[in-house]
Amino acid sequence: MIKNYLKVAWRNLIKDKTNTSLNIIGLSIAFAVAILLGMAALYQLSFDNFHENGASIYKIVRTQQTPKGPEAGTVQPAPLAPALEAEVPGVKRITRYLQDGTLAFYNDKEVDMDVVWVDQDFFSMFSFPISNGNETEPLNDLNGVVLTKKAADKLFGSTDIIGKTVNLLVNGIQKPFTVSAITDDIVPQSTLEFEIAARFESHKDYFDNKEQWDSQYHDVYVELDEGVTASGFENISASFVDLHYNEGIEMLKRDGASPDSNGRFIDLRLVPMTDVHFTSLKNGTIQISRGMPYLILGVAFLILFIACVNYINMSIAKTAKRLKEIGMRKTLGAQKKQLFFQFWSESLFVFGVSIGVGVLLSLVFLDEFKTMFNTHISAEMLWNPTAIIGLLGMVLAISMFVGGYPAMLMSRLGTIQSLKGKLESTGSNKVRDVLMVFQFGIAILLIIGTLVLWGQIEYMRNKDLGYDKEQVVSFPLNGKRNSNDVVDLLKDELKGNPDILSVSGADNNLGLGKDGSRSSSKIGFEYKGRAVKTNFLVVDHDYIKTLGLELVAGRDFESAADSLGVVINESMAKELEEEDPLTAQLELDDGVYYPVLGVVKDYNFNDLDRAIEPITFYMSREWGLTYAYAKVAPQNMASSYDALERTWKKLEPNATFLGSFLDENVDRTFRSEKTTAKMITSGSLIAIILSCMGLFAMSLLIVAQRTKEIGIRKVVGASVTSITYILTKDFLKLVMLAFLIASPIAWYIMRQWLQNYAYRINLGVGFFVGAGAIAVTIALLTIGTRTIQAARANPVKSLRDE
């Protein structure tokens, strides 16, 4: 019986090649896209799931209630971790975690490496397998370090290096460390990344800060004892917070801060390890969002849904062509169940072929997909038993629902009705219309999303950030020599070059440079009986001139002799609440007051999802600079860049030049948005193509069903235009209805998304009108060719064919 079902199904599918081909092509594309997007989403959702103890590991977040509202932060003071372990029950293991970059030296080699400074329990808490060396306590020695295999190969040319000495640049001095273990390379799904791991106590800032509770500069991860919950730990740590943050709590009360709903001014909260990758700081609170991977999954399902709608609509439309076949089968004794399985077997056949082709397409385009969307998915994700069973189950379920519905409709038709060859009920047409509205609604939703996403990206790219981003190159200093001396040497070497307008330095980059490093510094101090917080930037005296910042009051730094003064921005001036901010003196060190020399106009030194905050510029040769900045002339920018690289190589022959223009740095800060926009754009394009394939197939079937009507209308004098209008108006009504339904939904979703940005575009009507026009135009082009061809056909031939 099954063999007979399959044989008849094959004959029916071959008989209607056009319809079968459109279904298989559409479904294959949809399956291929859904598989790739699904793999990308599952890859994102798998971040940090590989840690064996992950369920009991948390990142500590401190939230304090300020007069301006809650303020959450992940950086902690050095004494917090040992004090928590000693004083609060429930701590199994704890580690501080400070990510940094440093120079590693071995013989004549000198390599930039990512280093993390951690506590002894780090490798017991997290699952970074030790492949060579001390497996149990690789960091029990203060001078021990652990290298990844990749780092060992890069520096030593081998992984057989246990006991060998590597020098790390710590505070400008080469300090020897002994290699105690080698780990496997860090998997891409890890939030914690490093090439070298060293003891936290060996970091250059440790001894100055080990007892300082008001100096926060590293993260803390804690592993709880079995049976201890995060909420339980948070509750029992309250007395610990009251004891060690008493001074800060009293200052918050004095400054007028209001406690939270639990009556607390400062709290320690725990973020599960599996949520860390999805955590961000918004509006002073910690927010955990898996919106991106779920959005990718959503796009995958929508594309699959559109292809399935195509299949249902075309199957229903085909019903009229198979009425006599159904009638004959019923007359010869076929039961409903047998007819259902006959038609469903055709669906199963189509879906089986489509999923096979879809898998092949996804493997063929895997590398292009990885490059385009910057993901690390691999073909191995498809070949595990879970994925294979999931795919087969998905095909069976989809074919059951999608193929089962038209099969059920056809099997339930009456014998007399079928033999007459007429469909009396319009119910199936209504289902078809509803599905088409859904289909085009999804496509219009994706088009609006695409237009808004790219509009916001272009806005961020072109926004005047308040500094010269087109003509300024920044590059990291490697810390081998005194950074201020290096900047001075750069100035001397480049002063004769007419294309280099100025050179300066700072201890932070603007945007995201090629080194991928980002950091920020904040300080708090007392000012006229209240606490004031500001971002803090150590700069060279030519920084304001080099960046092209606008001075609105006072003066710029004139030379290194101005190191006893500061320059602030307008937001900081407002924070001081002084009528004339130039009269203010800031107590940045105990008993040392720094006069405000000047005020610069506010500029966007943070990402555009954050409002401009107070910032203070300060000059200090002791604190050092991390990045050099060079302003180049607008002409010969390429040769100016080369001149900078040559000069850097002359000063630091073993170091890599990682220079990039600031507009490139800014572009890197919204890579996530660009990836999302590319994904939504691709999804929109595929959704439109699939919708048009369905629309085209429907127009073929409708024209075929109305051939006799078209012939009669032509005989009685109807024009080509009027016939074309009659054939297309029903489709266009559905597209317009889809537009009316999708637009308010898209408006709500995109409005919510834009709220994430302090600086954003207006969600104008142009986005919606544009999307509607695109959908209508594409629909007209899709069905126009076939309907015009039908309207121009010879009526005699049409009537004779009927």
Side-chain angles (χ1 to χ4, degrees):
M1 182 63 76
I2 293 174
K3 184 180 177 183
N4 184 56
Y5 284 149
L6 293 175
K7 186 184 290 184
V8 175
W10 170 253
R11 287 174 180 167
N12 281 324
L13 292 173
I14 290 296
K15 186 178 174 183
D16 192 356
K17 290 188 178 66
T18 303
N19 195 45
T20 304
S21 301
L22 285 172
N23 270 326
I24 289 179
I25 292 171
L27 285 169
S28 299
I29 293 172
F31 275 125
V33 174
I35 288 170
L36 289 171
L37 291 178
M39 288 165 66
L42 293 177
Y43 167 79
Q44 285 284 332
L45 292 171
S46 69
F47 257 80
D48 296 319
N49 284 342
F50 63 93
H51 296 296
E52 292 178 8
N53 304 321
S56 56
I57 297 177
Y58 300 85
K59 186 174 186 177
I60 294 180
V61 175
R62 184 169 66 98
T63 302
Q64 64 180 24
Q65 306 299 317
T66 72
K68 295 180 179 178
E71 188 177 279
T74 58
V75 288
Q76 311 296 344
L80 176 70
L84 266 178
E85 188 173 25
E87 300 173 26
V88 180
V91 176
K92 185 175 183 180
R93 300 184 185 98
I94 195 165
T95 180
R96 293 164 285 196
Y97 179 87
L98 176 59
Q99 199 164 20
D100 202 358
T102 191
L103 277 177
F105 303 88
Y106 177 70
N107 292 336
D108 296 333
K109 275 193 177 177
E110 178 182 317
V111 182
D112 283 305
M113 288 204 171
D114 295 327
V115 59
V116 290
W117 307 90
V118 296
D119 283 306
Q120 190 173 351
D121 281 341
F122 181 77
F123 285 96
S124 301
M125 292 173 63
F126 298 101
S127 300
F128 296 112
I130 302 292
S131 59
N132 194 9
N134 188 339
E135 294 182 12
T136 53
E137 292 184 320
L139 290 179
N140 63 346
D141 187 341
L142 276 177
N143 293 319
V145 290
V146 178
L147 275 71
T148 64
K149 288 180 177 176
K150 187 176 177 184
D153 278 333
K154 192 159 64 171
L155 189 61
F156 292 90
S158 165
T159 56
D160 188 18
I161 55 170
I162 302 302
K164 291 192 176 180
T165 300
V166 54
N167 288 344
L168 301 182
L169 195 65
V170 179
N171 207 17
I173 300 171
Q174 290 191 36
K175 185 177 178 183
F177 289 86
T178 303
V179 179
S180 58
I182 302 294
T183 71
D184 291 346
D185 291 332
I186 308 301
V187 296
Q189 298 98 321
S190 176
T191 301
L192 308 179
E193 296 177 339
F194 62 89
E195 292 178 298
I196 300 179
R199 283 288 292 269
F200 185 81
E201 294 87 341
S202 299
H203 186 259
K204 61 185 174 65
D205 293 332
Y206 174 70
F207 284 104
D208 290 338
N209 294 287
K210 64 179 181 178
E211 301 296 337
Q212 301 295 320
W213 284 85
D214 58 352
S215 177
Q216 294 113 26
Y217 63 102
H218 62 83
D219 297 333
V220 173
Y221 291 89
V222 60
E223 181 183 352
L224 300 182
D225 278 327
E226 188 175 350
V228 179
T229 63
S231 58
F233 181 83
E234 289 167 356
N235 290 333
I236 58 177
S237 66
S239 57
F240 171 87
V241 172
D242 292 340
L243 174 66
H244 291 284
Y245 290 96
N246 181 53
E247 187 178 348
I249 292 171
E250 293 303 319
M251 289 174 67
L252 291 171
K253 290 179 181 176
R254 180 203 63 189
D255 293 343
S258 300
D260 63 12
S261 57
N262 296 319
R264 300 200 53 78
F265 288 87
I266 298 180
D267 260 335
L268 294 181
R269 296 293 173 199
L270 301 185
V271 176
M273 188 64 211
T274 49
D275 288 343
V276 170
H277 179 71
F278 306 98
T279 301
S280 61
L281 291 170
K282 292 280 171 83
N283 302 320
T285 61
I286 289 287
Q287 295 186 6
I288 299 168
S289 172
R290 288 178 170 80
M292 172 63 82
Y294 287 133
L295 175 65
I296 297 171
L297 271 182
V299 172
F301 279 117
L302 289 178
I303 289 172
L304 208 52
F305 177 78
I306 288 175
C308 291
V309 167
N310 276 350
Y311 183 84
I312 293 175
N313 277 342
M314 285 191 271
S315 298
I316 292 175
K318 269 196 328 180
T319 305
K321 296 175 70 175
R322 302 185 68 175
L323 286 175
K324 290 184 178 176
E325 175 195 342
I326 296 169
M328 287 300 294
R329 285 178 179 272
K330 288 206 164 189
T331 304
L332 294 173
Q335 301 297 313
K336 285 182 183 178
K337 184 173 67 175
Q338 292 170 313
L339 285 172
F340 174 84
F341 280 108
Q342 177 59 60
F343 294 124
W344 181 66
S345 64
E346 294 177 18
S347 304
L348 192 60
F349 202 93
V350 170
F351 277 92
V353 172
S354 300
I355 189 68
V357 177
V359 170
L360 284 176
L361 287 175
S362 65
L363 292 175
V364 168
F365 292 102
L366 182 63
D367 290 339
E368 287 78 6
F369 182 86
K370 287 165 63 178
T371 304
M372 181 179 289
F373 300 116
N374 193 29
T375 180
H376 296 279
I377 61 173
S378 63
E380 286 73 25
M381 293 176 71
L382 272 179
W383 301 130
N384 66 70
T386 306
I388 293 172
I389 293 172
L391 279 176
L392 292 176
M394 182 175 69
V395 170
L396 196 63
I398 291 176
S399 66
M400 179 60 75
F401 286 103
V402 176
Y405 177 69
M408 184 184 67
L409 281 182
M410 287 189 271
S411 63
R412 291 173 61 182
L413 288 172
T415 307
I416 304 298
Q417 180 188 358
S418 303
L419 289 172
K420 283 181 179 177
K422 296 291 182 186
L423 280 173
E424 294 176 356
S425 172
T426 58
S428 58
N429 286 344
K430 287 180 181 175
V431 172
R432 182 198 68 191
D433 292 348
V434 169
L435 290 175
M436 285 189 69
V437 169
F438 264 110
Q439 192 179 40
F440 268 90
I442 291 166
I444 291 168
L445 190 70
L446 292 173
I447 293 172
I448 294 172
T450 299
L451 296 177
V452 175
L453 275 167
W454 284 112
Q456 176 66 18
I457 289 172
E458 284 304 307
Y459 170 80
M460 292 192 293
R461 181 177 288 162
N462 298 317
K463 186 180 185 317
D464 181 3
L465 300 180
Y467 58 87
D468 191 345
K469 58 182 180 180
E470 285 83 16
Q471 289 177 240
V472 178
V473 177
S474 73
F475 55 95
L477 306 170
N478 62 8
K480 193 175 174 183
R481 291 192 278 186
N482 181 284
S483 55
N484 284 279
D485 291 343
V486 174
V487 171
D488 289 341
L489 286 171
L490 283 168
K491 289 179 179 179
D492 290 339
E493 291 287 338
L494 294 165
K495 66 183 177 184
N497 189 328
D499 292 330
I500 307 298
L501 303 181
S502 65
V503 175
S504 185
D507 71 341
N508 198 3
N509 203 354
L510 281 167
L512 187 62
K514 285 182 179 175
D515 61 340
S517 177
R518 306 188 79 180
S519 64
S520 63
S521 300
K522 276 190 177 183
I523 61 167
F525 58 90
E526 288 283 303
Y527 184 74
K528 294 189 174 179
R530 60 191 173 86
V532 173
K533 280 194 171 183
T534 175
N535 289 273
F536 197 67
L537 190 68
V538 179
V539 299
D540 169 79
H541 65 272
D542 284 328
Y543 183 78
I544 293 173
K545 178 179 72 175
T546 303
L547 268 292
L549 301 178
E550 183 181 343
L551 205 62
V552 295
R555 65 177 179 84
D556 189 0
F557 294 117
E558 293 175 349
S559 67
D562 279 333
S563 61
L564 292 178
V566 296
V567 174
I568 62 176
N569 69 344
E570 291 176 310
S571 294
M572 182 60 189
K574 289 177 189 171
E575 191 75 18
L576 295 176
E577 299 178 355
E578 293 286 358
E579 188 174 338
D580 181 4
L582 299 180
T583 62
Q585 299 212 357
L586 313 184
E587 188 183 4
L588 302 180
D589 293 332
D590 291 339
V592 182
Y593 289 84
Y594 293 79
V596 175
L597 302 177
V599 179
V600 296
K601 189 175 180 179
D602 277 344
Y603 70 105
N604 293 92
F605 57 90
N606 285 322
D607 294 351
L608 289 176
D609 58 352
R610 294 166 61 182
I612 296 174
E613 298 174 345
I615 189 168
T616 300
F617 299 151
Y618 174 77
M619 290 200 301
S620 170
R621 292 187 72 85
E622 294 178 3
W623 290 15
L625 309 170
T626 314
Y627 291 87
Y629 291 83
K631 185 172 188 175
V632 303
Q635 62 277 8
N636 304 322
M637 293 175 79
S639 61
S640 302
Y641 182 90
D642 293 339
L644 286 172
E645 184 172 5
R646 285 195 301 274
T647 306
W648 174 249
K649 285 288 185 186
K650 181 179 176 183
L651 297 178
E652 295 289 350
N654 294 323
T656 305
F657 180 70
L658 296 174
S660 60
F661 284 92
L662 295 186
D663 55 353
E664 297 172 336
N665 290 0
V666 173
D667 266 11
R668 291 189 190 98
T669 62
F670 42 83
R671 280 186 301 195
S672 167
E673 286 85 350
K674 285 199 288 189
T675 301
T676 306
K678 283 192 285 187
M679 209 164 280
I680 300 293
T681 303
S682 306
S684 305
L685 192 61
I686 291 167
I688 281 290
I689 291 172
L690 293 176
S691 299
C692 289
M693 287 175 65
L695 198 58
F696 180 71
M698 288 298 299
S699 67
L700 289 179
L701 292 169
I702 296 298
V703 166
Q705 290 173 6
R706 300 178 71 174
T707 302
K708 186 175 181 181
E709 176 192 342
I710 294 168
I712 293 172
R713 285 182 182 275
K714 290 206 71 175
V715 168
V716 297
S719 64
V720 172
T721 306
S722 64
I723 292 174
T724 305
Y725 171 73
I726 290 169
L727 292 175
T728 57
K729 69 176 182 180
D730 291 339
F731 291 115
L732 293 181
K733 281 180 185 174
L734 297 178
V735 175
M736 290 306 297
L737 181 59
F739 170 74
L740 292 175
I741 293 172
S743 293
I745 297 172
W747 176 84
Y748 177 78
I749 294 173
M750 299 318 296
R751 184 173 178 275
Q752 292 298 111
W753 178 72
L754 286 172
Q755 298 303 313
N756 292 322
Y757 296 90
Y759 303 91
R760 53 184 177 264
I761 56 174
N762 292 319
L763 198 55
V765 70
F767 292 110
F768 304 92
V769 173
I774 290 171
V776 170
T777 303
I778 292 174
L780 272 176
L781 291 174
T782 304
I783 58 180
T785 50
R786 185 68 191 101
T787 53
I788 291 172
Q789 186 183 3
R792 290 169 62 90
N794 186 338
V796 176
K797 186 181 177 186
S798 301
L799 292 172
R800 186 170 59 219
D801 289 345
E802 281 289 302

